[in-house]
Amino acid sequence: MSIIKEYSKNEKKIPRHIAIIMDGNGRWAQKRGKIRILGHKEGFKAVKKTVKFALQNKIKVLTLYTFSTENQKRPKLEIIALLELFLFALKNEIQHLNKYNICLKVIGDLTYFDKELQLYIYNAERMTLNNNGLILNIAANYGGKWDIVEGVKKILSDVQKGILCISQIKEEIFSQYLSTNNLLPVDLVIRTGGEKRISNFLLWQIAYSELYFTDVLWPDFNAFEFKNAINYFSTRKRRFGGNF
Ligand code: IPE
Ligand code: IPE
Ligand code: MG
């Protein structure tokens, strides 16, 4: 009920939490006869622009899907390049993010990353913890199924410790055991690259999200595309199962 109430107040219908499946880097490069890794590098430029648009449009939370648990199946060299790019981005952008009052969060199974990357993530999150501008939530080695299984493990552990009774477990309580705890509900999911699927991104969290699919490949995503997605969202009548 709380989501409905907050929404009826929100006249402008600007999504507060946008989550993006940034797909199409490989095809962008291949179309130009380049190696896929160059597509990921170009994709990073689109990430920087997107953070800027999110700030300009006063979006409160931006969740970006950078690497899925299934992306571990990719060739080793591509994975290494992606992880290097992630580390490079953290090293180079964190001061900038901090200056713009952005709070950085990383969700996903971080144990997959080497110690250096884990430390940079930890420090970046700590440095920007008290920033109250945009929340930039990076889903890295993330899987919607992984998130739910981790939530189940944590909730079971609290039941075992006697912190929680089984009868107290309700949807709202379970939500708090997911990696997105404390974030606003996801209003809009954008997927670039033409595929119309979720690819194990947020699952529980998108039960009532609006979904926007575009054929634009991620490196070509720009302010115009961003506006199109927001305009699409603003035309949706969200009912949340009700009939009002
Ligand atoms: C998305 O682009 C980025 C990651 C999955 C890391 P892809 O690498 O999936 O690019 P396409 O879909 O093959 O074009
Ligand atoms: C989804 O893209 C994952 C990210 C964008 C990080 P994929 O390219 O991995 O998805 P599939 O394989 O087309 O479903
Ligand atoms: Mg892809």
Side-chain angles (χ1 to χ4, degrees):
M1 283 305 274
S2 59
I3 305 176
I4 300 168
K5 252 196 263 157
E6 284 172 40
Y7 252 90
S8 50
K9 274 192 258 157
N10 188 355
E11 287 159 17
K12 271 191 179 158
K13 283 193 167 177
I14 288 281
R16 295 181 304 171
H17 184 166
I18 300 182
I20 309 184
I21 303 174
M22 308 182 293
D23 196 24
N25 293 349
R27 278 165 286 163
W28 184 94
Q30 277 159 352
K31 264 172 64 179
R32 287 161 179 78
K34 295 178 178 173
I35 54 165
R36 295 175 57 85
I37 292 165
L38 287 174
H40 296 313
K41 287 198 173 144
E42 204 62 29
F44 174 52
K45 291 185 194 164
V47 167
K48 290 203 277 185
K49 284 188 225 156
T50 304
V51 171
K52 203 168 130 196
F53 311 144
L55 279 175
Q56 285 166 350
N57 287 279
K58 304 208 163 33
I59 306 301
K60 298 209 175 330
V61 188
L62 179 67
T63 296
L64 300 178
Y65 201 14
T66 61
F67 192 86
S68 72
T69 44
E70 289 73 27
N71 288 151
Q72 288 180 29
K73 294 179 200 155
R74 300 234 174 152
K76 261 255 147 346
L77 275 180
E78 186 175 348
I79 295 176
I80 291 170
L82 280 165
L83 298 184
E84 276 176 1
L85 192 58
F86 189 19
L87 186 62
F88 171 86
L90 276 177
K91 282 183 181 170
N92 284 274
E93 298 299 328
I94 193 63
Q95 300 292 349
H96 213 60
L97 296 181
N98 201 26
K99 195 173 118 196
Y100 281 93
N101 197 24
I102 294 171
C103 171
L104 183 89
K105 260 181 77 67
V106 182
I107 56 170
D109 182 4
L110 306 188
T111 58
Y112 176 71
F113 301 141
D114 66 31
K115 287 278 168 293
E116 189 192 14
L117 183 52
Q118 286 188 39
L119 191 67
Y120 265 96
I121 292 171
Y122 174 77
N123 286 335
E125 284 186 321
R126 220 179 43 169
M127 184 195 275
T128 62
L129 187 68
N130 296 318
N131 291 351
N132 56 10
L134 171 73
I135 296 176
L136 178 58
N137 185 34
I138 303 294
N141 197 32
Y142 178 87
K145 290 183 178 177
W146 166 86
D147 204 356
I148 292 169
V149 170
E150 285 305 300
V152 169
K153 287 198 265 186
K154 286 183 201 143
I155 215 160
L156 283 178
S157 157
D158 278 358
V159 169
Q160 253 176 357
K161 288 182 203 149
I163 297 171
L164 196 72
C165 295
I166 290 182
S167 60
Q168 289 175 302
I169 303 176
K170 304 272 187 298
E171 289 178 12
E172 295 72 26
I173 299 289
F174 185 67
S175 291
Q176 292 166 16
Y177 285 83
L178 296 174
S179 65
T180 45
N181 176 33
N182 288 328
L183 296 180
L184 289 164
V186 178
D187 296 316
L188 173 65
V189 176
I190 299 173
R191 181 171 186 145
T192 62
E195 307 294 356
K196 293 183 178 62
R197 55 179 173 246
I198 296 301
S199 302
N200 199 16
F201 191 29
L202 307 162
L203 296 177
W204 171 281
Q205 296 88 342
I206 61 168
Y208 272 104
S209 307
E210 300 299 325
L211 308 177
Y212 180 82
F213 298 99
T214 168
D215 288 338
V216 167
L217 301 174
W218 176 250
D220 292 328
F221 193 77
N222 55 24
F224 178 72
E225 298 299 333
F226 194 82
K227 268 269 175 302
N228 279 348
I230 291 183
N231 287 344
Y232 168 81
F233 176 85
S234 69
T235 63
R236 298 293 92 202
K237 188 164 171 13
R238 303 187 82 189
R239 286 182 289 274
F240 299 98
N243 63 356
F244 37 86

